[in-house]
Amino acid sequence: MVNPRSSAQRAQLVFDFSDGSREQVDLLGGKGANLAEMTKLGLPVPPGFTITTEACRYYLAQGEEPQSLRVQVTMALRRLEDQLGRRLGDVQDPLLVSVRSGAKFSMPGMMETVLNVGLNDYSVKGLAEAAKDERFAWDSYRRLVQMFGRTVLDIPGELFEEELSAAKQRAGAGTDVEMPAAELRELVETFKQICAEHSGREFPQDPREQLDMAMRAVFTSWNTERARIYRRRERIPHDLGTAVNICAMVFGNLGDTSGTGVCFTRDPATGKQGAYGDYLVNAQGEDVVSGIRNTLSLEDFARLDPASHAELSQIMRRLETHYRDLCDIEFTVERGKLWMLQTRVGKRTAAAAFRIATQLIDERLITEDEALHRVTGDQLGQLLFPQFDADAERTLLTRGMAASPGAAVGKLVFDSATAVAEAARGENVILCRRETTPDDLAGMVAAAGVLTSRGGKTSHAAVVARGMGRTCVCGAEELDIDAEARTLTVGDNRLAEGDVVSIDGTTGEVFAGTLAVVASPVVNYLELGLDHALAAADADTADVVRAVDRLLRHADRTRRLRVRANADTAEDAGRARVMGAEGIGLCRTEHMFLGDRRVLIERLILAETDGERETALAELLPLQRADFVALLTAMDGLPVTIRLLDPPLHEFLPDRTELAVKVAVARANGGADAADERLLAAVERLHESNPMMGLRGVRLGLMVPGLYSMQVRAITEAAAERLAAGGTPVVEIMVPLVASVMELHLIRDEIDGIVAEVAGNGEGAALHIPIGTMIELPRAALTARRIAEAAEFFSFGTNDLTQTTWGFSRDDVESSIFAAYLDKGVFTVSPFESLDRDGVGALIRTAVAAGRETRPGIKLGVCGEHGGDPDSVHFFHAADLDYVSCSPFRVPVARLESGRAALAAETGDGAL
Ligand code: PEP
Ligand code: MG
């Protein structure tokens, strides 16, 4: 085995920007790889170097950096110093650097950044001289001590913020920019004292020590609570680590000819063509993204500094041509000179993703296949969210920026912890903050929507909410939010915590009270067709609908997997068909025994003689038959897989405790009820400690005489009836929870006889009803070669297969232990949500191969929840199944992902 210690010691752990490229994203992280790419393109990137993710992983595992890293950093630093002719932290005209995190997948605001590294009590004077601006130099030093104190020395940020506010007040300065140099110098002293008092050590004066400590803090920030929460949500593995980018500082806070901005080559919120951005004059780095000051638009920037704006526009076009996608760019202007600090393929809303992908096809920059690759099932799923009813009565409170689309209604809460607590109680909440910080992440995850009074579309709230598909309105400036008093005032309206508001992330509007919500235009399109949906939509919405239609149709042309739905009623089946389902992969028959019909099952269970049992079954038969006729009518011409009864019988009986109490009370009162007594005896008899593992599935069929026969008769008669009515029923019978081929043989003997009998009677003669089984127990998967002897198809029941492979009770563990397991990194996503490829997936592959060995043409599908999960769909494609089956609402998602999976497999970008 390779020793990770020695391999990291030998590896190249530091790359100059001029050495790397965007292909090296695993090693250099997204930011580092793209800085290298821009350098290669000859764009104005300040020079620097990247410390690899490998170094980070080593550091996190060993608690110290590889020794060779010190040497490699020294060499890279010297090259940088030589290139610029300045030394890090020199007393005259010092080189200063930024130290920024940058993982493979962007995690906005989740990890640390330290700017102005290299400043100390001496070099600050050199900087003042060189920049001919004393105020600027002290402001830069103030920022370094503050950032270093907070992120490297772990001192609460408020301590610095409070001093800063107090100093501003003393100086009568409205903003940071108005603070005079003398005040800033004093503030640096205060900040240094805070560092010394709270960390037990002096703020380090040695520039290299600052650099090394900042680098370690960035490494460590990979594992902060908020970064872990973010990764869990975004399904980013915990073991990747972050790269660290060391870059020569350029300054946007050198007066009015300087500034800093963020821009997108197209609007990331709506997908509209044309650049979109925010610019702040005389500001540094994080000021734009943190949303603490309100920003200028790119048009304002063009008026202010036409030359830099023209150069930026040219670079935007260049980058979009190079990446052939929406780019997200951070830039700084230092005294009229434009610098590119970052670019990446930009995050976007779901609507923007579809629109931009089709725009790029039309601009002949990408192919249709590439466009399909660029949209995801998750994004399509987001577009299926409802919107506010346009005709609903509404009281507009105010308008902010439409930062992340959707319609959210909920109770106002003013802090993250309350959002989490209320959401846990099942309340919908709107998290309302002046601006959000990464510390608000848990609240944002828990909330139905996020509302802020400060910051633009690139503020933290906006970026994070978009990333997680959470509705967000930001920068609603008229809102006066008092987080202490837990109130929100706008005009004459004063709302308190718990009051309900409705926020529209598509328009930026904020309404008082609950607003009625209607289906999404994409659902409209699916249900009523393109023309109808377009007629009902405004221009922007119509564009989204057209893009969805185009890419969904391309997915349909591309995919190999068929997509069916899990549907139990004719109504669900109709809905599934509208969503594009090509059949029913799972009809669970248990719902047909609930409600009014429960008494019939009760009678069946309580039957003491064959005659009583047969009477009960005879009563159920016509009801079942009618159910199946309706279902087969709704799905006429398409396959319908009907599963015989699966859940334990006691689920159809009254609650044991309640019944026992009722009987006990009756007995005590001397009036025992004979029916209740019998029922209680049956409940006691059927009680199981672990019903999931008990008398259910095929075991029911074998233990309760006549039950499966009745169902099979109802199915066959229904099919015959449909045939007689001129329909085209395509029905399949599925046996649940089979572990041994013997169980299936025994049931088949019973089923085959009834099918032959019913089909043989006249109309049914033309019927062929395949009989198959679910594969949902490990033993079934492992003995699939034998089971295929008796099964014409397999449908993988991945819910039970996950439950039994992991030994996790599917009803209990998600709430009891999954949070801890996710946190500890046992898995990055619940195996009930996304298929566990290594374990459950291995069983599926085994069963696929074995099943085909016995019966080469055997039809193979999946009907567990995973059938609608994008990532799992890729696995099922690669495992060579014939179809996936999922809830009707997820059918479009599965269609899209099946198309994407086929493409990914073709291009070797595959799932396995
Ligand atoms: C399964 O187990 O995956 C399945 C589809 O059946 P059910 O969820 O009804 O147990
Ligand atoms: Mg099951």
Side-chain angles (χ1 to χ4, degrees):
M1 218 184 101
V2 185
N3 175 348
R5 280 184 69 108
S6 57
S7 88
Q9 298 288 9
R10 278 197 307 271
Q12 182 177 354
L13 299 169
V14 176
F15 287 73
D16 289 350
F17 291 166
S18 50
D19 275 355
S21 76
R22 73 168 143 152
E23 279 72 40
Q24 288 171 296
V25 61
D26 285 344
L27 205 55
L28 304 182
K31 190 185 302 236
N34 287 317
L35 279 167
E37 192 73 14
M38 287 201 291
T39 305
K40 226 168 58 179
L41 286 175
L43 301 184
V45 177
F49 54 90
T50 302
I51 299 167
T52 65
T53 53
E54 185 181 1
C56 173
R57 288 192 294 272
Y58 183 101
Y59 179 82
L60 293 177
Q62 310 291 338
E64 60 179 10
E65 59 259 36
Q67 286 190 17
S68 64
L69 184 62
R70 280 186 81 76
V71 177
Q72 293 188 36
V73 168
T74 304
M75 291 167 73
L77 197 54
R78 283 178 162 230
R79 285 194 295 272
L80 181 63
E81 290 174 337
D82 291 348
Q83 186 181 347
L84 295 173
R86 286 184 284 149
R87 299 279 166 84
L88 183 69
D90 200 59
V91 289
Q92 283 162 2
D93 192 11
L95 165 67
L96 306 183
V97 295
S98 61
V99 179
R100 293 171 191 266
S101 59
K104 175 176 180 181
F105 301 104
S106 125
M107 296 169 52
M110 292 303 133
M111 290 180 294
E112 302 298 6
T113 289
V114 186
L115 303 179
N116 306 337
V117 166
L119 277 176
N120 57 23
D121 294 350
Y122 306 99
S123 61
V124 65
K125 292 175 186 147
L127 181 67
E129 279 284 297
K132 308 222 171 345
D133 188 339
E134 209 182 340
R135 200 209 75 84
F136 154 74
W138 284 101
D139 187 42
S140 302
Y141 194 16
R142 181 276 296 177
R143 286 170 190 259
L144 169 65
V145 184
Q146 181 172 359
M147 257 190 250
F148 196 93
R150 191 171 53 76
T151 65
V152 183
L153 303 176
D154 264 339
I155 299 167
E158 299 89 79
L159 295 178
F160 298 103
E161 288 296 340
E162 281 160 14
E163 289 296 338
L164 177 62
S165 299
K168 262 199 253 179
Q169 237 170 18
R170 274 198 307 274
T175 64
D176 308 5
V177 181
E178 292 161 21
M179 292 265 283
E183 288 290 342
L184 289 163
R185 193 182 309 136
E186 256 176 53
L187 202 54
V188 166
E189 277 315 307
T190 313
F191 280 9
K192 285 199 298 190
Q193 270 165 23
I194 295 179
C195 287
E197 273 166 30
H198 288 82
S199 72
R201 59 166 301 166
E202 297 293 326
F203 171 77
Q205 291 289 315
D206 174 3
R208 177 60 191 268
E209 194 182 354
Q210 290 174 4
L211 178 81
D212 288 341
M213 289 176 74
M215 173 191 75
R216 284 181 214 123
V218 172
F219 284 158
T220 311
S221 70
W222 173 257
N223 275 334
T224 57
E225 176 71 10
R226 63 180 192 235
R228 295 188 78 86
I229 297 176
Y230 185 86
R231 287 200 294 273
R232 212 184 300 152
R233 248 207 84 79
E234 299 294 313
R235 300 187 183 178
I236 299 172
H238 288 309
D239 58 1
L240 299 178
T242 179
V244 183
N245 299 291
I246 314 283
C247 184
M249 284 296 305
V250 289
F251 295 96
N253 55 340
L254 267 174
D256 287 347
T257 55
S258 304
T260 186
V262 177
C263 61
F264 299 86
T265 55
R266 294 168 200 242
D267 188 331
T270 65
K272 264 199 181 133
Q273 266 156 320
Y276 178 85
D278 295 323
Y279 184 71
L280 260 184
V281 179
N282 201 4
Q284 195 177 25
E286 310 307 281
D287 295 350
V288 183
V289 181
S290 65
I292 40 184
R293 269 158 62 188
N294 287 321
T295 51
L296 301 181
S297 67
L298 284 186
E299 291 72 33
D300 297 333
F301 175 45
R303 275 191 290 279
L304 211 66
D305 185 351
S308 298
H309 178 266
E311 190 183 353
L312 178 68
S313 302
Q314 225 169 28
I315 290 175
M316 279 200 260
R317 186 178 153 87
R318 178 97 189 270
L319 285 172
E320 208 178 66
T321 308
H322 187 69
Y323 285 87
R324 299 184 306 128
D325 205 348
L326 155 72
C327 293
D328 155 345
I329 294 159
E330 285 180 22
F331 63 95
T332 279
V333 178
E334 181 182 284
R335 292 191 169 148
K337 162 87 182 104
L338 176 71
W339 291 100
M340 307 302 291
L341 298 190
Q342 174 174 325
T343 193
R344 63 185 167 204
V345 166
K347 286 190 187 240
R348 64 206 74 184
T349 63
F354 277 86
R355 277 179 93 178
I356 292 170
T358 51
Q359 282 162 13
L360 293 174
I361 304 175
D362 292 339
E363 291 168 28
R364 296 179 175 73
L365 268 176
I366 61 173
T367 64
E368 276 197 306
D369 283 357
E370 284 171 316
L372 181 55
H373 189 69
R374 299 233 181 131
V375 293
T376 67
D378 279 335
Q379 286 167 336
L380 179 57
Q382 285 171 29
L383 291 178
L384 303 176
F385 288 133
Q387 301 181 340
F388 288 129
D389 179 358
D391 299 326
E393 287 269 312
R394 55 192 65 202
T395 312
L396 184 67
L397 281 178
T398 187
R399 219 180 276 272
M401 286 191 216
S404 180
V409 180
K411 292 185 172 176
L412 277 175
V413 294
F414 293 92
D415 68 282
S416 180
T418 311
V420 171
E422 289 293 307
R425 296 181 339 127
E427 294 287 353
N428 279 338
V429 297
I430 304 291
L431 177 61
C432 183
R433 308 276 293 153
R434 257 162 62 94
E435 67 248 346
T436 62
T437 69
D439 291 335
D440 291 315
L441 188 69
M444 294 178 77
V445 170
V450 179
L451 173 62
T452 71
S453 58
R454 308 295 293 269
K457 275 196 210 176
T458 49
S459 64
H460 176 267
V463 172
V464 174
R466 271 203 300 278
M468 62 172 77
R470 192 64 80 252
T471 297
C472 175
V473 172
C474 68
E477 288 173 36
E478 289 172 358
L479 296 181
D480 186 0
I481 297 167
D482 186 341
E484 288 276 290
R486 300 181 172 271
T487 58
L488 174 163
T489 314
V490 50
D492 296 337
N493 292 296
R494 192 183 177 81
L495 282 75
E497 191 154 83
D499 288 346
V500 174
V501 293
S502 302
I503 63 170
D504 189 330
T506 316
T507 62
E509 291 162 311
V510 181
F511 304 100
T514 303
L515 219 60
V517 165
V518 290
S520 85
V522 174
V523 170
N524 242 347
Y525 145 72
L526 290 162
E527 288 181 341
L528 303 168
L530 185 61
D531 291 344
H532 189 284
L534 292 182
D538 60 39
D540 280 343
T541 313
D543 213 35
V544 177
V545 170
R546 244 182 255 114
V548 169
D549 168 65
R550 195 161 162 191
L551 293 178
L552 204 47
R553 279 191 293 115
H554 188 59
D556 285 341
R557 283 193 294 275
T558 310
R559 68 190 158 91
R560 182 186 55 72
L561 280 173
R562 302 285 99 207
V563 178
R564 298 194 195 179
N566 293 354
D568 307 341
T569 63
E571 195 188 333
D572 281 356
R575 181 170 187 84
R577 231 181 148 140
V578 158
M579 295 285 154
E582 298 159 298
I584 291 181
L586 172 64
C587 164
R588 293 179 168 103
T589 51
E590 42 267 28
H591 86 275
M592 300 170 182
F593 296 91
L594 297 175
D596 298 347
R597 302 182 187 178
R598 208 151 127 156
V599 289
L600 300 178
I601 278 280
E602 240 174 62
R603 256 178 246 159
L604 175 70
I605 297 169
L606 296 177
E608 280 172 1
T609 65
D610 287 352
E612 278 176 14
R613 185 179 309 109
E614 276 157 27
T615 312
L617 287 168
E619 280 183 87
L620 280 165
L621 179 70
L623 300 172
Q624 286 261 278
R625 188 170 51 223
D627 292 332
F628 297 136
V629 168
L631 197 65
L632 292 174
T633 308
M635 271 285 156
D636 195 51
L638 295 175
V640 176
T641 306
I642 298 174
R643 182 178 73 184
L644 302 178
L645 197 65
D646 179 24
L649 284 182
H650 73 84
E651 286 194 6
F652 303 99
L653 295 176
D655 178 77
R656 182 180 174 213
T657 314
E658 275 173 28
L659 189 61
V661 170
K662 188 176 169 201
V663 168
V665 169
R667 280 183 197 152
N669 294 336
D673 180 299
D676 282 349
E677 295 275 356
R678 270 180 78 199
L679 202 53
L680 181 60
V683 171
E684 300 280 356
R685 179 163 40 84
L686 291 170
H687 173 74
E688 294 172 316
S689 325
N690 196 347
M692 272 291 179
M693 304 274 173
L695 182 59
R696 54 172 289 218
V698 68
R699 301 163 199 167
L700 271 180
L702 293 171
M703 306 293 285
V704 184
L707 177 62
Y708 274 12
S709 295
M710 180 277 292
Q711 287 198 292
V712 170
R713 187 176 296 279
I715 293 167
T716 318
E717 287 179 359
E721 191 178 320
R722 286 292 306 141
L723 211 54
T728 312
V730 187
V731 65
E732 303 166 335
I733 294 177
M734 180 155 77
V735 184
L737 217 73
V738 163
S740 149
V741 69
M742 263 317 283
E743 292 168 315
L744 196 56
H745 277 307
L746 290 168
I747 284 295
R748 274 210 76 139
D749 285 348
E750 191 179 328
I751 297 177
D752 286 342
I754 292 168
V755 173
E757 179 200 320
V758 179
N761 290 339
E763 293 297 349
L767 279 177
H768 168 67
I769 302 185
I771 294 164
T773 182
M774 297 194 66
I775 301 288
E776 49 186 345
L777 294 173
R779 191 178 192 284
L782 295 170
T783 61
R785 198 172 50 77
R786 294 292 311 280
I787 290 181
E789 289 166 10
E792 286 159 79
F793 63 87
F794 286 168
S795 179
F796 291 96
T798 47
N799 304 334
D800 273 311
L801 197 53
T802 302
Q803 164 166 262
T804 49
T805 301
W806 282 86
F808 279 151
S809 160
R810 61 197 256 197
D811 294 332
D812 304 317
V813 283
E814 297 211 64
S815 56
S816 61
I817 67 168
F818 273 22
Y821 263 42
L822 289 163
D823 205 40
K824 292 178 194 299
V826 179
F827 31 66
T828 49
V829 54
S830 154
F832 286 112
E833 203 181 303
S834 193
L835 194 89
D836 153 36
R837 294 172 179 220
D838 295 344
V840 178
L843 286 169
I844 292 176
R845 286 182 166 281
T846 301
V848 166
R852 290 219 168 101
E853 204 178 294
T854 302
R855 196 186 283 264
I858 190 168
K859 199 191 294 175
L860 302 168
V862 58
C863 62
E865 286 305 302
H866 304 86
D869 169 66
D871 190 54
S872 312
V873 168
H874 286 248
F875 173 83
F876 298 131
H877 173 90
D880 208 17
L881 298 194
D882 297 306
Y883 68 87
V884 294
S885 189
C886 55
S887 71
F889 213 61
R890 293 174 99 185
V891 164
V893 173
R895 284 163 59 198
L896 192 85
E897 284 297 345
S898 300
R900 297 185 70 235
L903 283 181
E906 250 174 47
T907 56
D909 211 4
L912 293 182

